[in-house]
Amino acid sequence: MDLSTEELNIILQTVRTFMKKEVEPLAEKMEEEDEIPRSLLDKAAEMGLFGISIPQEYGGLGTGMVGKASIFQELGKGPNCFISVIGCHNGIGSVGIVMEGNEEQKERYLPKMASGEWIGAFALTEASAGSDASAIKTTAVRKGDKYILNGTKQFITNGDIAHVFTVMAVTDKSKGAKGITSFIVERDFPGFSIGKKEVKMGLRGSHTTELIFDNCEVPVENVLGEEGRGYVNALKILANGRAGLAARCLGSCEKLLEISLTYATQRVQFGKPIFENQIIQHYLANMAIEIEALRSLIYDVARKVDNGEKVIKEAAIVKAFGSEVYGRVADLAVQIHGGMGYMRECEVERYYRDARITRIYEGTSEIQRNIIARQLKKEYGL
Amino acid sequence: MNIVVCIKQTFDTEAKIALDSQGKIDSQGVNLIINPYDEFAIEEGIRLKEQLGGEVTVVSLGGERAQEAIRTALAMGADKGILVSDPSLEEVDEWVAAEVLAKAVEGISYDLLLAGRIAIDDGSAQVAVRLAEKLGVPSVSSVLKIEADGEKITAVREIDGGTETLEIPLPAMVTAQKGLNEPRYPSVAGIMKAKRKPLNVVSLADLGLNAGDLSPKMVVDSTALPEARKGGRKLEGEPDQVAKELVQLLRDEAKVI
């Protein structure tokens, strides 16, 4: 059951107030200390922000894609580290269990994930397997009623704060991509540990870490979906997250347009606000054009998802376009701000750095184009 | 203890105010919120209910969109909502609002009435007090702290240069000042529960009122936006001369001393 317009409006208004009162004031502190205060995550949990995409019968909001996108859009207006944690949890960190989990797994994990007690993360990437996800080397060998996992995952968002990990590992090397299986791994399973925390260009406050599996024991009942379906699961999980990721980008773009517009009308050079210069007006207009196009695209795709339509190509398009629009808008925002836009004290500088990763993670722009081209070929029966 | 909280839906504090072609304030595309002072009142009502039991009923007057404000209060933890909505109530003054709310409240069994001290849109701070008068109950405004038992309440209110502690028999009206509490956010679970809580939308006729008897006593002739802020002026010269000039300008031009 999806939310009514009224319910969604209440949630959006609440999120807006929450961002303004609780998140925005901490933006500089989180950037400086590379840390989101636990108390802020607790408040977000109390509100229910960790349950956005978890079905209502497991204590979540269970919203469809339109609802999820509009909430992500609001969250995206604030410091991106916050939406990164919430978005990763509600996206790739939990949708695997929502889509592929059996009843026992859902009952064990989803209520605690919806309440925010257990944060979720998704572990696919390894040193030698980024875009080529089928090249993962982490192994899982069945031993009695357990699988023994060995290997190292890298660049795992929420790695250090998550309790539940959707992990892809090779169960049968001879079968290639069809020999990969997904597992639900809990933080306190024997043989599991968190490796080094990466120092990143942006998204400070959201942590990305290594995960180390050293004879990690995972009970057989924690296989997510069927054995050998891990690669397909991973692609489905990633595809599900695409419209949401674009919606976060949309929120950030709207914020950047607002900041830039305000700055342009206040900053005086050559005796007049720089807004009076046609080139600045055109920069702002270009931002607005791309933002409106992105908005239409996101909600069009989201409605299709909610109608149960197949959107492999559209999801890839929206992810590529959303992240690229964010990059261009952030670039123009810095340009409009001039030297000030390059300074740490100016928030557009932070968005500029945070924008860069969106073209890379959860499927690079290049991989999205591969998907789009492949789907096009199929569509035309070639 | 049964509590009635009167709330008003207002523009978001960050909304850009614009006038439409008829010179009226344009509400199109504006985010609407619960008047922040009313949020304190809702929060206090819920806290008192949690402490003493009873029910919290939220009452409002407004158009279709005001349902959202009531539903938000229900999501925070209030139990019931009543919205008086009638096409003839498009333009109301404080007198009309109090008359209508009084009728709506009369039908509810209450021990305590709560409202915000003032609405941030028109800033009249009249409706709650008029309502108390109409209902014949005592009222205390700008309250910072409430302690209640079933019979009476002790309220601390703001006065010039300090606070005043009052004991008031129930039923009574109390208006909330900033500082009374920190309102909770409606949680997702609360929003789900709110869906099943009763929200009655009633018309003037339902309340036994006649639009003809409720013509506002105050009519708004015109609305104007404040004049755009002008740039500052810098006085230059010798300090004693500049000081004299400044005093003269403050007296004659700005008329502030």
Side-chain angles (χ1 to χ4, degrees):
Chain A
M1 181 176 45
D2 210 352
L3 300 171
S4 68
T5 312
E6 186 183 80
E7 286 165 329
L8 188 57
N9 281 345
I10 295 173
I11 292 169
L12 294 177
Q13 188 54 51
T14 307
V15 169
R16 241 172 255 136
T17 313
F18 184 81
M19 294 304 285
K20 194 171 79 185
K21 279 202 197 156
E22 313 285 344
V23 184
E24 286 289 356
L26 293 172
E28 271 177 54
K29 184 180 150 76
M30 294 192 293
E31 185 69 18
E32 196 94 344
E33 296 172 7
D34 191 14
E35 190 78 46
I36 301 177
R38 186 66 228 184
S39 58
L40 178 61
L41 293 179
D42 288 345
K43 279 183 196 166
E46 211 172 295
M47 250 180 73
L49 287 183
F50 284 91
I52 296 169
S53 57
I54 291 172
Q56 290 176 14
E57 60 263 44
Y58 302 103
L61 187 57
T63 167
M65 196 53 85
V66 169
K68 182 168 159 179
S70 37
I71 296 170
F72 277 20
Q73 187 189 335
E74 280 307 323
L75 293 170
K77 289 178 187 167
N80 285 186
C81 61
F82 184 68
I83 175 63
S84 172
V85 169
I86 304 271
C88 172
H89 169 89
N90 277 293
I92 56 177
S94 61
V95 294
I97 301 177
V98 172
M99 292 194 305
E100 297 299 323
N102 59 38
E103 202 42 50
E104 281 131 40
Q105 290 167 339
K106 286 181 178 174
E107 265 164 30
R108 171 160 174 79
Y109 293 105
L110 295 182
K112 284 187 173 164
M113 294 179 88
S115 72
E117 184 183 339
W118 285 355
I119 293 175
F122 175 78
L124 174 63
T125 300
E126 295 178 10
S128 58
S131 289
D132 181 8
S134 63
I136 58 168
K137 292 202 169 67
T138 297
T139 56
V141 177
R142 177 137 186 191
K143 222 175 158 185
D145 57 357
K146 290 195 171 78
Y147 278 87
I148 307 300
L149 270 62
N150 277 292
T152 302
K153 294 288 177 185
Q154 118 178 327
F155 301 162
I156 307 305
T157 306
N158 285 355
D160 60 342
I161 57 169
H163 186 89
V164 181
F165 299 83
T166 303
V167 179
M168 311 308 142
V170 177
T171 39
D172 186 346
K173 197 164 178 250
S174 66
K175 290 186 183 159
K178 288 185 176 148
I180 295 172
T181 301
S182 33
F183 297 88
I184 307 170
V185 176
E186 290 181 39
R187 189 188 186 85
D188 44 18
F189 281 178
F192 176 80
S193 61
I194 310 296
K196 80 164 168 166
K197 187 184 117 189
E198 305 291 345
V199 179
K200 310 187 297 322
M201 176 196 286
L203 280 189
R204 288 172 60 80
S206 158
H207 296 167
T208 292
T209 69
E210 271 182 348
L211 307 180
I212 299 161
F213 301 87
D214 180 11
N215 288 318
C216 172
E217 298 174 17
V218 180
V220 171
E221 59 265 26
N222 275 35
V223 169
L224 183 61
E226 289 165 42
E227 190 174 307
R229 297 276 297 170
Y231 184 66
V232 179
N233 289 346
L235 295 185
K236 269 167 79 178
I237 293 167
L238 287 166
N240 180 283
R242 283 181 184 137
L245 194 124
R248 294 161 49 181
C249 293
L250 172 62
S252 298
C253 289
E254 287 178 320
K255 174 79 173 197
L256 285 169
L257 177 60
E258 189 190 325
I259 301 171
S260 303
L261 194 54
T262 308
Y263 185 80
T265 53
Q266 287 168 356
R267 169 71 171 168
V268 173
Q269 286 290 277
F270 302 107
K272 60 184 184 192
I274 59 168
F275 181 84
E276 301 302 322
N277 300 313
Q278 196 179 49
I279 184 82
I280 299 292
Q281 293 184 7
H282 286 190
Y283 284 168
L284 291 162
N286 285 346
M287 290 162 94
I289 290 169
E290 296 224 87
I291 287 171
E292 285 314 311
L294 178 57
R295 190 194 322 279
S296 304
L297 180 58
I298 288 170
Y299 289 101
D300 183 51
V301 174
R303 267 187 292 273
K304 284 182 179 156
V305 172
D306 288 345
N307 290 338
E309 292 174 43
K310 221 171 170 190
V311 291
I312 300 174
K313 183 185 74 184
E314 289 79 0
I317 289 175
V318 80
K319 196 278 178 181
F321 187 62
S323 56
E324 289 168 17
V325 165
Y326 188 10
R328 289 193 287 271
V329 165
D331 189 71
L332 284 172
V334 171
Q335 198 64 23
I336 290 169
H337 280 75
M340 183 47 80
Y342 196 68
M343 300 300 147
R344 275 287 155 96
E345 67 179 281
C346 178
E347 58 184 335
V348 299
E349 185 269 348
R350 169 164 47 80
Y351 284 96
Y352 182 82
R353 279 182 290 113
D354 290 351
R356 192 62 187 84
I357 188 62
T358 61
R359 277 148 63 195
I360 299 169
Y361 67 5
E362 298 196 21
T364 61
S365 281
E366 293 72 23
I367 287 293
Q368 305 306 330
R369 283 176 171 77
N370 291 353
I371 297 170
I372 296 163
R374 203 164 50 229
Q375 290 302 122
L376 283 173
K377 193 160 168 261
K378 259 193 212 167
E379 272 174 35
Y380 286 82
L382 300 166
Chain B
M1 185 153 81
N2 290 326
I3 299 163
V4 170
V5 187
C6 300
I7 69 168
K8 182 179 188 182
Q9 191 178 43
T10 58
F11 277 27
D12 191 336
T13 45
E14 280 178 7
K16 309 268 183 295
I17 310 284
L19 300 180
D20 63 17
S21 54
Q22 270 129 44
K24 289 184 178 162
I25 294 168
D26 191 355
S27 63
Q28 274 235 321
V30 172
N31 280 332
L32 299 177
I33 59 168
I34 296 175
N35 172 40
Y37 291 94
D38 297 345
E39 271 192 337
F40 302 134
I42 296 167
E43 176 65 32
E44 199 63 18
I46 297 168
R47 286 187 193 190
L48 288 169
K49 175 192 83 167
E50 284 167 353
Q51 191 191 326
L52 301 164
E55 245 180 14
V56 176
T57 307
V58 175
V59 180
S60 189
L61 186 159
E64 186 91 340
R65 281 172 86 182
Q67 284 194 45
E68 218 168 277
I70 295 182
R71 200 64 81 178
T72 305
L74 297 177
M76 287 170 76
D79 302 287
K80 289 179 188 169
I82 296 173
L83 173 66
V84 186
S85 200
D86 201 290
S88 64
L89 290 174
E90 204 150 285
E91 273 170 42
V92 297
D93 65 356
E94 291 76 9
W95 176 78
V96 173
E99 291 290 312
V100 174
L101 287 172
K103 272 283 178 214
V105 170
E106 264 173 18
I108 309 167
S109 122
Y110 61 88
D111 303 295
L112 179 63
L113 297 159
L114 292 166
R117 161 181 94 74
I118 190 169
I120 57 160
D121 50 6
D122 53 27
S124 77
Q126 289 185 33
V127 176
V129 186
R130 282 178 178 273
L131 175 59
E133 197 62 29
K134 177 84 189 165
L135 294 170
V137 300
S139 74
V140 193
S141 297
S142 295
V143 166
L144 294 165
K145 195 175 170 209
I146 301 176
E147 272 168 30
D149 58 34
E151 307 281 301
K152 59 177 187 329
I153 56 165
T154 309
V156 179
R157 76 165 169 193
E158 218 170 39
I159 55 168
D160 260 356
T163 58
E164 185 178 50
T165 306
L166 300 122
E167 202 179 277
I168 313 113
L170 294 176
M173 161 69 85
V174 170
T175 76
Q177 170 64 310
K178 187 177 178 169
L180 177 62
N181 54 46
E182 189 60 48
R184 70 195 67 189
Y185 294 101
S187 68
V188 164
I191 292 166
M192 295 300 161
K193 270 189 219 149
K195 198 165 23 183
R196 288 183 292 274
K197 292 179 180 175
L199 195 175
N200 288 341
V201 182
V202 297
S203 65
L204 285 185
D206 295 334
L207 293 175
L209 290 167
N210 183 344
D213 301 336
L214 290 169
S215 59
K217 294 186 183 299
M218 184 183 71
V219 178
V220 177
D221 281 339
S222 68
T223 308
L225 294 172
E227 231 177 284
R229 221 170 90 186
K230 293 190 188 111
R233 199 186 321 163
K234 201 168 174 183
L235 304 178
E236 279 173 84
E238 291 303 312
D240 51 345
Q241 189 199 331
V242 170
K244 265 186 209 149
E245 202 183 333
L246 177 65
V247 169
Q248 195 198 343
L249 285 172
L250 287 174
R251 182 177 294 142
D252 301 338
E253 211 179 289
K255 298 191 166 77
V256 290
I257 52 171

